[in-house]
Amino acid sequence: MHRPKKQAALGFIFATLLIDVMGFAIVIPVFPDLIKGLIHSNVSDASSYAAWLSVAYAGTQFVFSPLIGNLSDRFGRRPVLLCSLLGFCADYLFQAFAPTIGWLFLGRLLAGITGASFTTANAYIADISEPEKRAANFGLVGVAFGLGFIIGPFIGGVLGDINIHYPFIAAAVLAFLNAVYGYVVLPESLSQENRRPLELKKANPVGTLMKLSKYKAVLGLAVSLFLIYFAVQAVQSVWSFYTKYKFDWTDAMVGYSLVVVGIVYAAVQGGLTRVIVPRIGTERSIWIGLLLYSIGMALFAFASKGWMMYAILIPYCLGGIAGPALQGYMSNHVPANEQGELQGGLTSLASLSTIFGPWVMFKVFHIFTKTDAPVIFPGAHFILGAVLMLLSALLAVLSFNKNKPEVKHPVPLDV
């Protein structure tokens, strides 16, 4: 693919991911209230149901992501991406009109089966990127994520104050428009010579995870990546529950806070990643980013005023330089015709972490906020996340040291 076409393709995939993230982010401010209404209880109890809803989504995604990644290696990225977007559209409609909590679970299961947009998008980016530019181009995923969180939560907060179901309807419309957009303008990125036959034995989650062990650098960093995915659930999953419980924020206030998250995160992913990673190197970018993540989470746990959450977002979001650097590092150790398999494996790894991560974080939040809690400490899940980030940084450094080539000193000649 020529340079102008590569730039255009990156623009297409960026816009597709932006609309997709907007649809996801729209519903975040109102999700606690939706569950509360269906179970007729409080925020603390709603968090327990949210834990199991996350398990339903992540569990099915863990099982089906390897198949989706292998299908994209066989038939191309474009058709797989479009099908996943239509699946999300159906999920949002289930949530919008759910008469009982059971309907929410059904929608989450459907979304988990088809939820391959980021898997396929990452493989798409790997297809069209030179090895030295992969970290920077993977940063575009973070930019889309950040900008989606600027626009989506704002719309969701405003619509949620009008009617709790409107954000879900808006998300369904966005997902459908996203699919139409992709059908009309998104080109295929995987050339015929780089496609491979579909092998079902490779399309199982355990087998896909084991494939990561083919490459020494990937194996060492896979555990580190798992801990990152696990730890960030302290923020991604519990943010709206935590801020509504501790600071009594409204849907709109939660939405505004996520707008700030999106602005800072997009600035880091779109600007700083392209500057910092080449300047200080991939390895240093990874462990420094993880330390910043850990500091941010620890500060979240002890914030006593709502405005403090905004200030703490700066060090936390600066930690975002770690993700693209780590993805680029791993991608550079995999052949071109196996990028879809790698990204499917990484998505399975993320899904495995999000089976347990949100469940653990929600349960910790629930344990320390329920009426009969031995100690009321709603920030306990942030402390757990901070510890896991530190452990991830340690494992990353150990992996880098292990994979460095040995320096052989010449043997002095006898004279």
Side-chain angles (χ1 to χ4, degrees):
M1 189 179 290
H2 298 296
R3 181 177 177 83
K5 290 185 177 180
K6 287 183 178 180
Q7 294 300 320
L10 281 173
F12 292 149
I13 203 69
F14 173 79
T16 300
L17 288 173
L18 174 61
I19 298 174
D20 193 24
V21 174
M22 282 175 57
F24 168 77
I26 277 177
V27 305
I28 293 177
V30 299
F31 203 52
D33 290 335
L34 178 68
I35 299 175
K36 280 171 55 182
L38 291 175
I39 66 173
H40 308 289
S41 190
N42 55 37
V43 173
S44 182
D45 290 339
S47 68
S48 183
Y49 280 88
W52 291 110
L53 284 166
S54 297
V55 170
Y57 171 73
T60 50
Q61 189 178 56
F62 173 69
V63 172
F64 284 91
S65 283
L67 176 61
I68 298 300
N70 279 270
L71 285 173
S72 76
D73 280 343
R74 172 63 181 89
F75 299 104
R77 318 302 185 197
R78 184 172 179 270
V80 173
L81 181 60
L82 297 180
C83 289
S84 72
L85 296 175
L86 293 176
F88 274 119
C89 177
D91 169 44
Y92 293 132
L93 290 176
F94 270 109
Q95 295 183 75
F97 301 105
T100 65
I101 194 72
W103 284 91
L104 287 187
F105 279 96
L106 182 60
R108 291 281 78 192
L109 290 172
L110 177 61
I113 293 173
T114 60
S117 56
F118 276 88
T119 303
T120 313
N122 284 332
Y124 192 109
I125 291 171
D127 289 340
I128 63 175
S129 301
E130 291 83 7
E132 66 274 10
K133 293 184 178 180
R134 277 181 177 151
N137 288 339
F138 277 129
L140 289 176
V141 178
V143 176
F145 192 88
L147 290 178
F149 262 86
I150 294 172
I151 304 170
F154 176 80
I155 297 174
V158 172
L159 292 178
D161 280 348
I162 300 173
N163 187 296
I164 196 173
H165 300 288
Y166 286 175
F168 297 95
I169 297 173
V173 172
L174 279 176
F176 179 76
L177 292 177
N178 196 1
V180 173
Y181 172 81
Y183 180 80
V184 173
V185 301
L186 187 67
E188 179 56 62
S189 66
L190 187 64
S191 60
Q192 290 292 337
E193 59 267 23
N194 281 332
R195 300 188 184 188
R196 61 182 178 83
L198 176 65
E199 299 180 51
L200 292 179
K201 65 180 181 180
K202 292 184 177 181
N204 67 84
V206 177
T208 303
L209 286 175
M210 295 303 295
K211 280 291 183 181
L212 296 177
S213 64
K214 288 170 55 178
Y215 308 98
K216 186 168 59 174
V218 168
L219 175 63
L221 293 173
V223 178
S224 178
L225 189 63
F226 174 81
L227 291 175
I228 296 171
Y229 288 147
F230 196 105
V232 297
Q233 295 303 321
V235 176
Q236 292 182 3
S237 297
V238 195
W239 179 271
S240 57
F241 292 83
Y242 176 76
T243 53
K244 287 190 174 189
Y245 176 90
K246 190 168 185 178
F247 307 116
D248 199 27
W249 283 4
T250 64
D251 291 344
M253 293 173 71
V254 173
Y256 299 151
S257 70
L258 292 174
V259 168
V260 176
V261 173
I263 293 173
V264 180
Y265 195 76
V268 171
Q269 297 284 299
L272 289 180
T273 296
R274 293 174 175 268
V275 175
I276 292 178
V277 174
R279 181 166 298 181
I280 69 175
T282 301
E283 295 181 9
R284 292 182 66 189
S285 297
I286 292 171
W287 68 259
I288 290 174
L290 293 175
L291 289 178
L292 288 170
Y293 267 145
S294 183
I295 292 170
M297 285 191 178
L299 293 174
F300 282 142
F302 294 101
S304 58
K305 302 291 183 182
W307 65 264
M308 295 181 180
M309 301 296 286
Y310 287 91
I312 299 167
L313 284 173
I314 295 176
Y316 176 77
C317 289
L318 284 173
I321 63 173
L326 187 54
Q327 277 191 300
Y329 189 102
M330 298 177 77
S331 179
N332 287 341
H333 289 77
V334 174
N337 65 345
E338 295 185 9
Q339 289 294 331
E341 185 176 355
L342 170 67
Q343 299 304 330
L346 295 181
T347 300
S348 290
L349 195 68
S351 297
L352 182 63
S353 69
T354 52
I355 292 173
F356 303 105
W359 188 88
V360 170
M361 298 303 177
F362 274 124
K363 286 298 182 181
V364 171
F365 174 78
H366 178 61
I367 289 171
F368 286 92
T369 57
K370 61 184 180 179
T371 54
D372 59 343
V375 177
I376 300 296
F377 181 38
H381 62 289
F382 285 129
I383 297 299
L384 175 59
V387 172
L388 292 176
M389 284 295 186
L390 288 176
L391 182 58
S392 177
L394 175 62
L395 290 174
V397 171
L398 291 176
S399 178
F400 295 146
N401 292 336
K402 181 179 179 180
N403 292 319
K404 288 184 184 299
E406 295 183 4
V407 178
K408 297 183 178 180
H409 299 284
V411 177
L413 298 175
D414 295 330
V415 293

